[in-house]
Amino acid sequence: MGAALENEMLAETTRGQQPKTVRVAVVGATGYAGRELLTLLSRHPAVRVTHLMSSGREGRKSQPVEKSHPALRGRFRIACDPLDLNPLEPSSVDVVFLATPHELSLEVVPSLLHRGLRVIDLSGAFRLKDSSAYPHWYGFEHHAASALEEAVYGLCELNAPRIRKAHLVANPGCYASSIILALAPLVQAGWVDLNTGIVCDSKSGASGAGRAPSEKLHFPEVNENLRAYGLFTHRHVPEMLEALGIEGDRFTFVPHLLPITRGILSTVYVRLKTARPREEIFNLYHSFYAQAPLMRVYGDGSLPEIQSVAHTNYTDLGFAVDGRTGRLVVVSCLDNLGKGAAGQAIQNMNLMFGFPEETALL
Amino acid sequence: MGAALENEMLAETTRGQQPKTVRVAVVGATGYAGRELLTLLSRHPAVRVTHLMSSGREGRKSQPVEKSHPALRGRFRIACDPLDLNPLEPSSVDVVFLATPHELSLEVVPSLLHRGLRVIDLSGAFRLKDSSAYPHWYGFEHHAASALEEAVYGLCELNAPRIRKAHLVANPGCYASSIILALAPLVQAGWVDLNTGIVCDSKSGASGAGRAPSEKLHFPEVNENLRAYGLFTHRHVPEMLEALGIEGDRFTFVPHLLPITRGILSTVYVRLKTARPREEIFNLYHSFYAQAPLMRVYGDGSLPEIQSVAHTNYTDLGFAVDGRTGRLVVVSCLDNLGKGAAGQAIQNMNLMFGFPEETALL
Amino acid sequence: MGAALENEMLAETTRGQQPKTVRVAVVGATGYAGRELLTLLSRHPAVRVTHLMSSGREGRKSQPVEKSHPALRGRFRIACDPLDLNPLEPSSVDVVFLATPHELSLEVVPSLLHRGLRVIDLSGAFRLKDSSAYPHWYGFEHHAASALEEAVYGLCELNAPRIRKAHLVANPGCYASSIILALAPLVQAGWVDLNTGIVCDSKSGASGAGRAPSEKLHFPEVNENLRAYGLFTHRHVPEMLEALGIEGDRFTFVPHLLPITRGILSTVYVRLKTARPREEIFNLYHSFYAQAPLMRVYGDGSLPEIQSVAHTNYTDLGFAVDGRTGRLVVVSCLDNLGKGAAGQAIQNMNLMFGFPEETALL
Amino acid sequence: MGAALENEMLAETTRGQQPKTVRVAVVGATGYAGRELLTLLSRHPAVRVTHLMSSGREGRKSQPVEKSHPALRGRFRIACDPLDLNPLEPSSVDVVFLATPHELSLEVVPSLLHRGLRVIDLSGAFRLKDSSAYPHWYGFEHHAASALEEAVYGLCELNAPRIRKAHLVANPGCYASSIILALAPLVQAGWVDLNTGIVCDSKSGASGAGRAPSEKLHFPEVNENLRAYGLFTHRHVPEMLEALGIEGDRFTFVPHLLPITRGILSTVYVRLKTARPREEIFNLYHSFYAQAPLMRVYGDGSLPEIQSVAHTNYTDLGFAVDGRTGRLVVVSCLDNLGKGAAGQAIQNMNLMFGFPEETALL
């Protein structure tokens, strides 16, 4: 007759696989991505959180999780400790999530890998294959070449086979995820007129900017406002170009800060080499993402909104095409803390440890 | 060492009990409480949703769930049908959730009970024991006396034993839940100076007012605004008085509409007959709610905020006391769609069918 | 040394001109644009509001202004009457503001002009020169050809000389104003590579959609959300094309609904035929708008935000250019109820009656 | 017939009085109250702003006003200088507005008075008559006794005669204004049952907390949230008690932080000694505020909302009474930056310099 189909599917797959419990450490547990990781991990049926650490607070004392995250009061027996790599050993931990600034990730990843741990890094420190791009976009020389080499860009819908075997996953940026997933099918099919250029206009909730207070993120400066920033200079651009395999000269990305907490909507403008009807475009996306349980492509002409995906791990895609001129507008939505950060990190963990991709994410 | 303690606990309890799958129908699936019910049910490991119906749309056609709830796209195989009681039979359904207007609940509950189904009604139609109060507060004569008699007021933390056996559960109002849970320990202990009176100042997110558009809930009329309403006339007052066993003459409740979507914060003002130190008050609450896994009492002087409970099923209580005068202010927070509506309904179902109370609610 | 320079300037100009009091009628006084008109008119030193009428309420009774607009309680002695053209005569009125649906404007404008009244119409009924475009974009045949012919498109910064003498001013759309003012200097200078195309991504506050309740504008459907709409079909497109003198095939406009009440930010993407340094672009804008007291062009690399212009009548422009590729992004901000509707209407009135353009608008 | 009555009235009064231009200095021009002061001053027909200074930035350089306040770009010829009292002399300044922390006000006020300048201080440094209350509520000994003695509490509706002659006006707190204006008529009439006690539950927009970034005011911590704070400890309590002439033991005030930028709504709960009908209560308020052009009392049973007063200088009062028990709830609204801070400061200036009270405030 009918059913909540996910828990059925999940039950089925899980039953077959009998995955054992994964022991997890979270470094950078006190920020927003950390909170989201903890929330999702506490729902995961086969995870045991063994260590929580806050980055950049070395020397401070342990404190209960609710001190940073009142919403998690009563959810974790263990406290959040100052950063200390020593207890992170294969005897007690299987995977380490790093929700840390990229400078810190750069520093600790080689050591964690060397201990034989698997790492999922939410920062940008290992996202770019081209290490020579780091000084320009991130302001530092990348001195961890071998770790960088083995890093897999953790956009699950594109790289699942390599993620399954990865020791180091570089979790993608939130803007980058929303845009790459919107463009990859079109670009790989060779349909986009790259001469005309691509315009990506993204709008993100404020949690994407992190938890550190600043004038720019002071409530009255964000509320009832909208602001563009980072024109031609945003760090997520190079990972988009690498993942899509295109040049930057005709690719323009402008992010905007929305007066909401969670969610990204990217409006992506391209011209097709050949004008095509809606069905054809839908079919391209549909087959491209046929194996991706957390992608939803709208074929009925409706468009996703941020509310369609907030507090979920879905990426929703909708589009409108001018059948005469070939102008195509794709609207891509995801939750910047979910699919754009912590949710994708969990999805990567699921792939790495043989769980159904969507475990704890529905 | 440490762990995400809930999934552990849950696993443990569930293992012992082996509950079989509960077959669920949701009537009123297209509103906000309906959406929240569907979201929670889809996460429940032992539920099978067999029927979805929209109320007040008799004669219209079935439509996919995502038509009303884009966020649930792809989550349910079954469609949402027009209201029709005929298929709701014990052979295919164990429990019916009614997220319907109280007039409709009043009409269909007797028939559903008569068929041998258990019912959880989210409306106010069966909340008041005193049927003579209905004309004044709800504007109708209550003609379903026997159903009303067997109804159990579904505030899980107060009535769990009776809820377990109930055939009809009247799910409490959102404001009422937040205030009753804040006051019950104090009132039952006889500590409150009822002569001075009780003031309850509540603030609720706009989803509590339902999904029907109106000028009062038009975005620009709610945004950047706050409005008091229903002074001395709000329908949740009589259920508060009944549950607390107090008279209304010295009990004042004023609700306000907040420019947010989800959450209620109630600020409750009483004077204690005897001034008492903070520890004593904390101990009272702590022991009163010792068996309640979804209550969190703050003993450290901090206060809950709406963000502490949004998108959860917790009720959080904090307080400040003036040790000299005995003035006590209790701050009570819950999510009006969660603990204040759909979450509490699921909690009631868990009790009725022998699941751990918090299943699917963490 | 220094001073609040505007009131000085204003005092100076006014002293010289001695304009007599203008008698004003407002039809459509109960909507958001109507409220903004009343607020601004009540601050105008040389205006007397003689008639307030609500559109589409023929047959209903007069009611005090505060019934529709609590914020205006005590500000107007006259009531708001049902629509009735009879009292609108040159003996008692100089100018009529129409904040009415375009169907109603289309109907009443010829009659008002025939009586010898000047009219400022905030609807779209007289914005397009090409009457044959109305069936496609507005869904009606335009049967008021002679009124249409004498209508002046009321974008003050482009058409001031003609507005001064106009009998009928068609006040521009809010999106259109923000985009035309951003593009006109570039397009008129011939700098834009029209082959590449122009992308205009606009984000507007919800008051722009008017005061009528609907599911789309229900608070919880707008709050914590962002939604694109009207792709390839928005009515403001043809007036943009007409005002800029360009073709639509390479011009793409996508509006989005922001979870705020007031303000529009448009992000406009073009490629220049020749790459140019920032100074050159600034100089073009600066000289183009040298005589426009309500335009502010940012030359220092900073970008306007919605908060820079909310509750003002300014249009603020900022930009970033990629000096190597000629990609140029212009950010344009205005208040959709101010410069995008009522404020621009007052600015038009100021021009028509010989007041300094910015009177009552600072 | 009808008219925008305020500008008429204003014109009339002003014509009779011929006030000369007042020269104004603003110290603390870079905060939110400073911005609001500048906005209002730039609309005032008889003010010349001669000095702008930022507090706490001694040693830094002058910078244009738009650096702090993009919305004021192009509005002021003078720059904002570091704090320096030297140029503030009666030869160039008539009145100094201090929008500064109370520690700084305490320090500079005596010196400004000594130079013969009139001062309007927006801080709390001179609000309490009882200097011995400062250590408890403000944490410092008040060492400026003679200035404190001559300070007039600048709640215009209560103290206009003394404000007119004052050299030092202590502008009231925003919460205090909203509550004192709601209670003064009732308390002065002796109607309130003080034994039962008074409960004041206030909700304020975030701009009231100032412009300094902090975790508590970080956008995602305020948005979609509500939080109570300062229970039994808020600094505005003693000025309320002094102004109302009541004791604190039965007076409870709890402020809450709303997820909006501007506005305060206070819900005030009292019991009347004698139950009275609505008309009688309305008449009391109406006659109490008969001479107050910026007070609006609602007699029709409707209640003010924050939107009724945001961006205005009005205080709106509405109420509901239980005619049987004498329970009375008064709802009081004002704009915390307007009547609650900068607007009231301008109103004080208007009284001090013989302008109509509402000049530049409508």
Side-chain angles (χ1 to χ4, degrees):
Chain A
M1 224 62 86
L5 77 114
E6 288 70 20
N7 45 27
E8 251 183 65
M9 285 169 44
L10 182 56
E12 203 113 0
T13 338
T14 312
R15 219 173 289 137
Q17 267 180 310
Q18 294 294 15
K20 67 169 168 43
T21 295
V22 175
R23 298 160 306 163
V24 169
V26 177
V27 180
T30 55
Y32 292 142
R35 176 164 68 200
E36 190 70 8
L37 278 170
L38 296 189
T39 302
L40 296 171
L41 289 168
S42 77
R43 288 191 194 139
H44 199 291
V47 154
R48 185 180 179 87
V49 178
T50 56
H51 300 82
L52 299 177
M53 295 177 185
S54 67
S55 70
R57 306 210 179 187
E58 294 94 332
R60 299 210 192 159
K61 292 187 302 182
S62 294
Q63 55 176 21
V65 170
E66 74 241 35
K67 196 83 185 175
S68 307
H69 307 306
L72 293 176
R73 184 180 280 258
R75 301 297 296 275
F76 287 87
R77 282 196 199 118
I78 59 174
C80 187
D81 297 319
L83 176 63
D84 173 12
L85 298 190
N86 288 324
L88 304 181
E89 289 287 351
S91 59
S92 63
V93 181
D94 297 303
V95 62
V96 179
F97 288 92
L98 297 176
T100 44
H102 49 254
E103 296 87 346
L104 184 60
S105 290
L106 182 65
E107 193 185 315
V108 303
V109 159
S111 158
L112 293 170
L113 292 175
H114 186 255
R115 287 156 189 249
L117 296 166
R118 298 175 89 176
V119 178
I120 301 171
D121 177 24
L122 281 75
S123 88
F126 294 90
R127 288 183 193 151
L128 304 184
K129 276 298 140 207
D130 177 6
S131 69
S132 73
Y134 275 95
H136 175 67
W137 292 102
Y138 284 85
F140 61 75
E141 290 288 337
H142 204 296
H143 52 66
S146 86
L148 186 61
E149 193 150 333
E150 71 171 302
V152 175
Y153 189 66
L155 192 50
C156 309
E157 285 72 16
L158 299 188
N159 293 338
R162 296 174 54 224
I163 291 165
R164 284 195 184 89
K165 294 175 289 185
H167 285 261
L168 171 59
V169 169
N171 214 54
C174 49
Y175 286 123
S177 297
S178 80
I179 287 172
I180 296 166
L181 292 170
L183 281 171
L186 298 170
V187 170
Q188 292 191 17
W191 288 10
V192 176
D193 174 3
L194 293 171
N195 282 330
T196 296
I198 298 175
V199 168
C200 301
D201 188 290
S202 293
K203 302 90 177 171
S204 172
S207 62
R211 196 167 184 171
S214 70
E215 187 168 342
K216 288 284 183 195
L217 293 166
H218 194 52
F219 180 82
E221 304 296 320
V222 176
N223 185 45
E224 293 296 289
N225 199 8
L226 184 77
R227 149 186 340 142
Y229 66 99
L231 279 67
F232 301 117
T233 64
H234 197 280
R235 274 177 187 150
H236 288 187
V237 168
E239 66 184 274
M240 299 186 211
L241 300 178
E242 279 195 0
L244 293 168
I246 59 177
E247 296 294 322
D249 270 14
R250 307 256 157 149
F251 179 88
T252 307
F253 165 63
V254 175
H256 301 74
L257 183 70
L258 282 174
I260 69 174
T261 299
R262 295 173 74 128
I264 285 182
L265 184 150
S266 293
T267 314
V268 179
Y269 302 82
V270 301
R271 185 166 310 179
L272 300 178
K273 288 177 183 160
T274 311
R276 294 171 189 269
R278 194 167 76 191
E279 297 66 36
E280 216 170 313
I281 296 165
F282 174 72
N283 290 338
L284 174 70
Y285 278 103
H286 188 68
S287 59
F288 193 94
Y289 290 123
Q291 306 305 318
L294 294 169
M295 293 296 303
R296 300 190 292 199
V297 183
Y298 293 29
D300 56 0
S302 66
L303 296 174
E305 309 175 6
I306 281 181
Q307 284 196 348
S308 315
V309 298
H311 295 274
T312 82
N313 206 63
Y314 287 108
T315 304
D316 281 14
L317 300 177
F319 62 91
V321 63
D322 178 4
R324 195 168 52 79
T325 61
R327 287 176 298 160
L328 171 65
V329 180
V330 185
V331 175
S332 171
C333 290
L334 53 76
D335 184 322
N336 60 297
L337 288 180
K339 178 64 177 178
Q344 180 135 266
I346 301 289
Q347 194 180 350
N348 277 312
M349 180 195 75
N350 286 336
L351 289 171
M352 291 162 83
F353 289 89
F355 303 115
E357 201 169 332
E358 65 276 28
T359 309
L361 298 175
L362 293 176
Chain B
M1 224 60 89
L5 77 116
E6 287 70 21
N7 46 27
E8 251 182 65
M9 284 168 45
L10 182 57
E12 203 114 358
T13 338
T14 312
R15 223 173 285 135
Q17 265 180 313
Q18 295 290 15
K20 66 169 171 40
T21 295
V22 175
R23 299 159 307 163
V24 168
V26 177
V27 180
T30 55
Y32 292 142
R35 176 164 67 199
E36 190 69 9
L37 277 170
L38 297 188
T39 303
L40 295 172
L41 289 168
S42 79
R43 287 191 193 138
H44 199 291
V47 153
R48 185 180 180 85
V49 178
T50 58
H51 299 83
L52 299 176
M53 295 179 186
S54 67
S55 71
R57 307 209 179 187
E58 294 94 331
R60 301 210 189 157
K61 291 187 304 183
S62 294
Q63 55 176 22
V65 170
E66 75 240 35
K67 196 83 185 177
S68 307
H69 306 308
L72 294 175
R73 184 180 281 257
R75 301 295 297 276
F76 286 88
R77 282 196 199 115
I78 59 173
C80 186
D81 297 319
L83 176 62
D84 174 10
L85 299 190
N86 289 323
L88 303 180
E89 289 286 351
S91 61
S92 64
V93 181
D94 297 302
V95 62
V96 179
F97 288 91
L98 296 178
T100 45
H102 48 254
E103 298 88 346
L104 184 60
S105 290
L106 183 65
E107 193 185 315
V108 305
V109 160
S111 158
L112 293 170
L113 292 176
H114 187 255
R115 286 156 190 250
L117 295 166
R118 296 175 90 176
V119 177
I120 299 170
D121 177 25
L122 281 74
S123 87
F126 294 90
R127 287 182 195 152
L128 306 184
K129 276 298 141 205
D130 177 5
S131 70
S132 73
Y134 276 95
H136 175 67
W137 293 100
Y138 283 86
F140 60 73
E141 290 288 337
H142 204 295
H143 53 67
S146 84
L148 186 59
E149 194 149 334
E150 71 170 303
V152 175
Y153 189 66
L155 194 48
C156 309
E157 285 73 15
L158 300 188
N159 294 337
R162 297 173 54 222
I163 291 165
R164 286 197 182 89
K165 295 174 289 185
H167 285 260
L168 171 58
V169 168
N171 213 56
C174 49
Y175 286 123
S177 298
S178 80
I179 287 172
I180 296 167
L181 292 170
L183 281 171
L186 298 170
V187 170
Q188 292 191 18
W191 289 9
V192 176
D193 173 4
L194 294 171
N195 281 331
T196 296
I198 298 174
V199 167
C200 301
D201 188 290
S202 293
K203 304 88 177 170
S204 172
S207 63
R211 196 167 184 172
S214 70
E215 185 168 341
K216 287 283 182 196
L217 294 166
H218 194 52
F219 180 82
E221 304 296 320
V222 177
N223 186 46
E224 292 297 288
N225 200 8
L226 183 77
R227 150 188 337 145
Y229 66 99
L231 279 67
F232 302 116
T233 63
H234 197 279
R235 274 177 188 151
H236 287 188
V237 168
E239 67 185 276
M240 298 186 212
L241 300 178
E242 280 195 0
L244 293 168
I246 59 176
E247 297 294 322
D249 270 15
R250 307 256 158 150
F251 180 88
T252 306
F253 166 63
V254 175
H256 300 74
L257 184 69
L258 282 174
I260 68 174
T261 298
R262 296 173 75 128
I264 285 182
L265 183 149
S266 293
T267 314
V268 178
Y269 301 82
V270 300
R271 184 167 311 178
L272 300 179
K273 287 177 185 161
T274 310
R276 292 169 189 271
R278 193 167 78 190
E279 296 67 35
E280 215 171 313
I281 297 166
F282 174 70
N283 289 338
L284 175 70
Y285 278 104
H286 188 67
S287 60
F288 193 95
Y289 291 123
Q291 306 305 318
L294 295 169
M295 293 296 302
R296 299 191 293 199
V297 182
Y298 293 29
D300 56 358
S302 66
L303 296 174
E305 309 176 5
I306 282 182
Q307 284 196 350
S308 316
V309 298
H311 295 275
T312 83
N313 207 62
Y314 287 108
T315 305
D316 280 14
L317 300 177
F319 62 92
V321 63
D322 179 2
R324 195 168 51 79
T325 61
R327 288 175 297 159
L328 171 65
V329 180
V330 185
V331 175
S332 171
C333 290
L334 54 75
D335 183 322
N336 60 298
L337 288 179
K339 177 64 178 177
Q344 179 136 265
I346 301 289
Q347 194 180 350
N348 277 311
M349 181 195 75
N350 286 336
L351 289 172
M352 291 163 83
F353 291 89
F355 301 114
E357 201 169 332
E358 66 275 29
T359 310
L361 298 175
L362 292 176
Chain C
M1 219 65 89
L5 76 115
E6 287 70 22
N7 43 27
E8 250 183 65
M9 286 168 44
L10 182 57
E12 203 115 0
T13 338
T14 311
R15 221 172 287 136
Q17 268 182 310
Q18 294 293 13
K20 66 172 172 36
T21 296
V22 174
R23 297 160 308 164
V24 168
V26 177
V27 180
T30 57
Y32 292 142
R35 176 164 67 201
E36 190 70 8
L37 278 170
L38 296 189
T39 302
L40 296 171
L41 288 168
S42 79
R43 286 192 193 141
H44 199 291
V47 154
R48 186 180 178 86
V49 178
T50 57
H51 299 82
L52 299 176
M53 295 179 186
S54 66
S55 71
R57 306 210 179 185
E58 293 97 332
R60 300 209 191 159
K61 291 186 304 183
S62 294
Q63 56 176 21
V65 169
E66 73 239 36
K67 196 83 186 176
S68 308
H69 306 308
L72 293 176
R73 183 180 281 257
R75 303 294 297 274
F76 287 87
R77 283 197 197 114
I78 58 174
C80 186
D81 297 319
L83 177 61
D84 175 11
L85 299 190
N86 288 323
L88 304 180
E89 290 287 349
S91 59
S92 62
V93 181
D94 296 304
V95 62
V96 179
F97 288 91
L98 296 176
T100 46
H102 48 255
E103 297 87 346
L104 184 60
S105 290
L106 183 65
E107 194 185 314
V108 304
V109 159
S111 158
L112 292 171
L113 292 176
H114 186 255
R115 286 157 190 248
L117 295 166
R118 299 174 90 174
V119 178
I120 300 170
D121 177 25
L122 280 75
S123 89
F126 294 90
R127 287 183 194 150
L128 306 183
K129 275 300 141 203
D130 176 6
S131 69
S132 73
Y134 275 95
H136 175 67
W137 293 101
Y138 284 85
F140 61 73
E141 291 287 336
H142 205 296
H143 52 68
S146 85
L148 186 60
E149 193 150 333
E150 70 171 302
V152 174
Y153 189 66
L155 193 49
C156 309
E157 285 73 17
L158 299 188
N159 293 338
R162 296 174 55 222
I163 291 165
R164 286 195 181 91
K165 293 175 289 184
H167 285 260
L168 171 59
V169 167
N171 213 55
C174 49
Y175 286 123
S177 297
S178 81
I179 288 171
I180 297 167
L181 292 170
L183 281 171
L186 298 170
V187 171
Q188 291 191 18
W191 288 9
V192 177
D193 173 4
L194 293 171
N195 281 332
T196 296
I198 298 174
V199 167
C200 301
D201 188 290
S202 293
K203 303 89 176 171
S204 172
S207 63
R211 195 166 185 173
S214 70
E215 187 166 342
K216 288 283 183 197
L217 294 167
H218 194 52
F219 180 83
E221 304 296 321
V222 177
N223 186 46
E224 292 296 289
N225 200 9
L226 185 76
R227 149 187 338 144
Y229 66 99
L231 278 67
F232 301 118
T233 64
H234 197 279
R235 274 177 188 151
H236 287 186
V237 168
E239 66 186 275
M240 298 186 212
L241 301 177
E242 280 195 0
L244 293 168
I246 60 177
E247 296 295 320
D249 269 14
R250 306 257 157 149
F251 180 88
T252 307
F253 165 64
V254 175
H256 301 74
L257 185 68
L258 283 175
I260 68 172
T261 299
R262 296 173 75 129
I264 286 181
L265 184 149
S266 293
T267 314
V268 178
Y269 302 82
V270 301
R271 184 167 310 176
L272 299 179
K273 289 178 186 162
T274 310
R276 293 170 190 269
R278 195 168 74 189
E279 297 67 35
E280 216 171 313
I281 296 165
F282 173 71
N283 289 339
L284 174 70
Y285 278 104
H286 188 68
S287 59
F288 192 93
Y289 291 123
Q291 307 305 317
L294 294 169
M295 294 296 303
R296 299 190 293 199
V297 183
Y298 293 28
D300 56 1
S302 65
L303 296 173
E305 310 176 5
I306 281 182
Q307 284 196 349
S308 315
V309 298
H311 295 275
T312 82
N313 206 63
Y314 287 109
T315 305
D316 281 13
L317 300 176
F319 62 91
V321 63
D322 179 3
R324 195 169 51 79
T325 61
R327 287 175 298 158
L328 171 65
V329 180
V330 185
V331 175
S332 169
C333 291
L334 53 76
D335 183 321
N336 61 297
L337 288 178
K339 178 64 177 176
Q344 179 136 266
I346 301 288
Q347 194 180 351
N348 277 310
M349 181 195 75
N350 285 338
L351 290 171
M352 291 163 83
F353 290 89
F355 301 115
E357 202 168 331
E358 66 275 27
T359 310
L361 299 174
L362 294 176
Chain D
M1 225 59 91
L5 77 115
E6 288 67 24
N7 44 27
E8 250 181 65
M9 285 167 47
L10 182 56
E12 204 115 359
T13 338
T14 311
R15 220 173 287 135
Q17 265 181 311
Q18 294 293 16
K20 64 174 172 39
T21 295
V22 174
R23 297 159 307 163
V24 168
V26 177
V27 180
T30 56
Y32 292 143
R35 175 164 68 199
E36 191 70 9
L37 278 170
L38 297 189
T39 303
L40 295 171
L41 288 168
S42 79
R43 287 190 192 140
H44 199 292
V47 154
R48 186 180 179 85
V49 178
T50 57
H51 298 83
L52 299 176
M53 296 179 185
S54 66
S55 70
R57 307 209 178 187
E58 293 97 329
R60 299 209 190 159
K61 290 185 304 180
S62 294
Q63 55 176 21
V65 170
E66 74 240 36
K67 196 82 184 179
S68 308
H69 307 307
L72 293 176
R73 185 178 280 258
R75 301 296 296 275
F76 286 87
R77 282 196 199 115
I78 58 172
C80 186
D81 297 320
L83 176 61
D84 175 10
L85 300 189
N86 288 323
L88 304 180
E89 289 287 349
S91 60
S92 64
V93 181
D94 296 302
V95 61
V96 179
F97 288 92
L98 297 177
T100 45
H102 48 255
E103 296 88 347
L104 184 60
S105 290
L106 182 65
E107 193 184 317
V108 303
V109 160
S111 158
L112 293 170
L113 291 176
H114 185 256
R115 287 158 190 248
L117 295 166
R118 298 175 89 177
V119 177
I120 300 171
D121 176 25
L122 281 76
S123 88
F126 294 90
R127 287 183 194 152
L128 305 184
K129 275 299 141 204
D130 176 7
S131 69
S132 73
Y134 275 95
H136 175 67
W137 293 102
Y138 283 86
F140 60 74
E141 291 287 336
H142 204 296
H143 52 66
S146 84
L148 186 60
E149 193 150 333
E150 71 170 303
V152 175
Y153 189 66
L155 193 49
C156 308
E157 285 73 16
L158 300 187
N159 294 338
R162 297 174 54 222
I163 292 165
R164 285 196 183 91
K165 294 175 289 184
H167 284 261
L168 170 58
V169 168
N171 213 55
C174 50
Y175 286 123
S177 297
S178 81
I179 287 172
I180 297 167
L181 292 170
L183 282 171
L186 297 170
V187 171
Q188 292 192 16
W191 289 10
V192 176
D193 174 3
L194 293 172
N195 282 331
T196 296
I198 298 174
V199 168
C200 302
D201 188 291
S202 293
K203 302 90 177 170
S204 173
S207 63
R211 195 166 184 173
S214 70
E215 187 168 341
K216 289 282 182 195
L217 294 167
H218 194 52
F219 180 83
E221 304 296 320
V222 177
N223 186 45
E224 292 298 287
N225 199 8
L226 185 77
R227 150 186 340 144
Y229 66 99
L231 278 68
F232 301 116
T233 63
H234 197 280
R235 275 178 189 152
H236 287 188
V237 168
E239 64 184 277
M240 298 186 211
L241 300 178
E242 279 195 0
L244 292 168
I246 60 177
E247 297 294 321
D249 269 14
R250 307 256 157 150
F251 180 89
T252 307
F253 165 64
V254 175
H256 300 75
L257 184 69
L258 284 174
I260 68 174
T261 299
R262 297 174 73 128
I264 285 182
L265 184 149
S266 294
T267 314
V268 178
Y269 301 82
V270 301
R271 185 167 309 177
L272 300 180
K273 288 178 186 162
T274 310
R276 293 168 190 272
R278 194 167 78 192
E279 295 69 32
E280 216 170 312
I281 296 165
F282 174 70
N283 290 338
L284 175 70
Y285 278 103
H286 188 67
S287 59
F288 193 94
Y289 291 123
Q291 307 305 318
L294 294 170
M295 293 296 302
R296 299 189 294 198
V297 183
Y298 293 29
D300 57 359
S302 66
L303 296 174
E305 310 175 5
I306 282 182
Q307 284 196 350
S308 315
V309 298
H311 295 275
T312 81
N313 207 64
Y314 286 109
T315 304
D316 281 13
L317 300 177
F319 63 91
V321 63
D322 179 2
R324 196 168 52 76
T325 61
R327 288 176 296 158
L328 172 64
V329 180
V330 185
V331 175
S332 171
C333 291
L334 52 76
D335 183 321
N336 61 298
L337 287 179
K339 178 64 179 178
Q344 179 136 267
I346 301 289
Q347 193 179 351
N348 277 312
M349 181 195 73
N350 286 335
L351 289 171
M352 291 162 84
F353 290 89
F355 302 115
E357 201 169 331
E358 66 275 27
T359 309
L361 298 175
L362 294 176

